[in-house]
Amino acid sequence: MMGHKNQTSSSDFTLLGLFPSSQASLVSFLFIFVIFVVAAAENTLMILLICSDSRLHTPMYFLLSHLSTMDILHISNIVPKMLANFLSGSKTISLAGCGFQVFLSLTLLGGECLLLAAMSCDHYVAICHPLRYAILMDDSVSVVMAGGSWLVGTLNSIVDTAYLLHFPFCGSGTIDHFFCEVPAMLKLSFVDTSGYEGRVYVSGIIFLLIPFSLISASYVQILLTVLQMKSSEAWKKSFSTCSFRMIVVIMYYGPFIFTYMRPKSYHTPGQDKFLAIFYTILTPTLNPVIYNFRNKDVLGAMKTMLKSNLLHKEMNREKT
């Protein structure tokens, strides 16, 4: 066993990053940068639309506004540091910075898992019990769902982050990843982490398997209900909506489950980095498109906002 002089307690960690040491790294950098800008713009636009348009003041869009907030924070927690390291040539991150990345990442990942399950319940009630929707999904219920997702995700993250950072790490402090993620950091510890891995596994059941099962069951029930409808147009619309949403859900939960519910001995850096791209970078970009921009109410709100801005500009021109 290494001596205490070789453990990392206050020094910096080194993030090896996502970009390869080749000419292709610039292309990868530009690709990630464009995705980050698009994701931030999409989700910011959604929050503004939901706040400003009274047609979107419903439980469903209230939950979607929290999803957009989580996505902005999550991608902003990871990508800017990764891009800054590439531009500066430095790959270091402080222990405090690494701890904050872990804390915020676990908070948002856990919270989003619960929030997506809450959104599927909202969708289920709207399709399968439309006459009782106003009673079952009133404003107080949506507030509890959103607030509960944030609260439970935060509390779980505080415990997991504090537990993780108390481990002694190898002196090199080299993390073969593009951000400080739990499985990659566990590989740096030279003490027994089986107890912590067991806790992560239990958290995986609570935050991953149970919500994913609930979402799957909700969409199956929705499709069964829609199949009983006589309208083929309603069936096609519901099938399309459920299909696209399940694709995004699988892209989010699948890699997440595969990463966090395996023993650390089964992890490989290349595989972990590839899988993390899905739930840290791609899904925050796809969520607004799948959940919002295919919706007539959202498109109508966008048109109203554009007309209002154009009218405001014309009035300013007339004044000048």
Side-chain angles (χ1 to χ4, degrees):
M1 181 180 291
M2 294 183 183
H4 290 288
K5 65 181 180 180
N6 290 327
Q7 72 183 44
T8 297
S9 58
S10 60
S11 60
D12 293 342
F13 289 99
T14 300
L15 291 170
L16 295 185
L18 179 65
F19 307 115
S21 299
S22 64
Q23 294 180 349
S25 59
L26 182 58
V27 176
S28 301
F29 168 84
L30 292 174
F31 179 70
I32 297 297
F33 176 75
V34 170
I35 287 180
F36 171 70
V37 172
V38 170
E42 286 176 337
N43 285 289
T44 301
L45 175 61
M46 273 314 308
I47 294 171
L48 292 175
L49 287 174
I50 292 170
C51 291
S52 62
D53 197 300
S54 59
R55 288 173 295 181
L56 304 183
H57 293 173
T58 64
M60 179 181 72
Y61 289 108
F62 176 76
L63 295 175
L64 284 170
S65 69
H66 282 269
L67 179 66
S68 290
T69 302
M70 288 181 177
D71 283 339
I72 290 175
L73 291 174
H74 195 203
I75 199 168
S76 299
N77 179 44
I78 295 168
V79 174
K81 177 61 178 175
M82 179 170 60
L83 299 179
N85 283 356
F86 176 81
L87 291 174
S88 66
S90 171
K91 296 183 178 182
T92 60
I93 183 170
S94 66
L95 179 63
C98 199
F100 181 77
Q101 260 198 354
V102 171
F103 166 73
L104 193 55
S105 179
L106 291 178
T107 297
L108 298 170
L109 287 171
E112 187 160 329
C113 285
L114 299 178
L115 187 65
L116 289 173
M119 288 166 53
S120 72
C121 291
D122 174 83
H123 194 195
Y124 165 77
V125 174
I127 299 297
C128 301
H129 303 283
L131 298 179
R132 300 176 62 193
Y133 181 81
I135 299 173
L136 296 175
M137 286 298 302
D138 60 12
D139 291 342
S140 61
V141 173
S142 60
V143 169
V144 170
M145 284 180 164
S149 298
W150 283 100
L151 179 62
V152 176
T154 301
L155 293 176
N156 179 73
S157 179
I158 290 173
V159 175
D160 278 354
T161 304
Y163 196 171
L164 175 68
L165 294 181
H166 98 280
F167 289 124
F169 298 105
C170 295
S172 62
T174 301
I175 303 174
D176 196 353
H177 211 304
F178 57 87
F179 74 106
C180 294
E181 190 170 33
V182 171
M185 293 186 68
L186 286 178
K187 284 191 171 184
L188 297 183
S189 181
F190 50 81
V191 297
D192 181 22
T193 60
S194 57
Y196 183 79
E197 289 181 69
R199 173 178 168 73
V200 171
Y201 188 83
V202 172
S203 294
I205 295 175
I206 297 172
F207 287 92
L208 296 172
L209 294 186
I210 293 177
F212 181 71
S213 300
L214 181 62
I215 293 169
S216 300
S218 297
Y219 284 133
V220 168
Q221 188 60 47
I222 289 170
L223 290 176
L224 291 175
T225 301
V226 172
L227 282 172
Q228 298 174 2
M229 297 179 181
K230 295 181 179 180
S231 173
S232 59
E233 183 178 347
W235 184 87
K236 290 179 181 178
K237 181 180 178 181
S238 295
F239 181 79
S240 174
T241 300
C242 290
S243 298
F244 279 109
R245 290 188 178 186
M246 275 307 298
I247 289 172
V248 175
V249 165
I250 291 171
M251 284 179 60
Y252 182 77
Y253 283 92
F256 201 4
I257 291 171
F258 199 66
T259 298
Y260 277 82
M261 299 196 71
R262 287 181 302 155
K264 68 177 182 180
S265 58
Y266 287 86
H267 288 260
T268 60
Q271 188 180 72
D272 284 354
K273 284 189 277 189
F274 174 74
L275 292 172
I277 290 172
F278 285 92
Y279 54 83
T280 60
I281 298 175
L282 292 183
T283 50
T285 309
L286 293 175
N287 279 340
V289 178
I290 300 301
Y291 287 101
N292 298 302
F293 294 139
R294 299 174 67 250
N295 190 295
K296 291 182 180 179
D297 292 334
V298 173
L299 294 177
M302 289 178 65
K303 290 178 181 179
T304 301
M305 178 179 282
L306 288 173
K307 288 180 181 179
S308 177
N309 289 336
L310 290 174
L311 181 62
H312 184 68
K313 289 181 179 179
E314 289 179 2
M315 292 177 63
N316 287 336
R317 287 177 184 175
E318 291 177 358
K319 289 179 180 181
T320 56

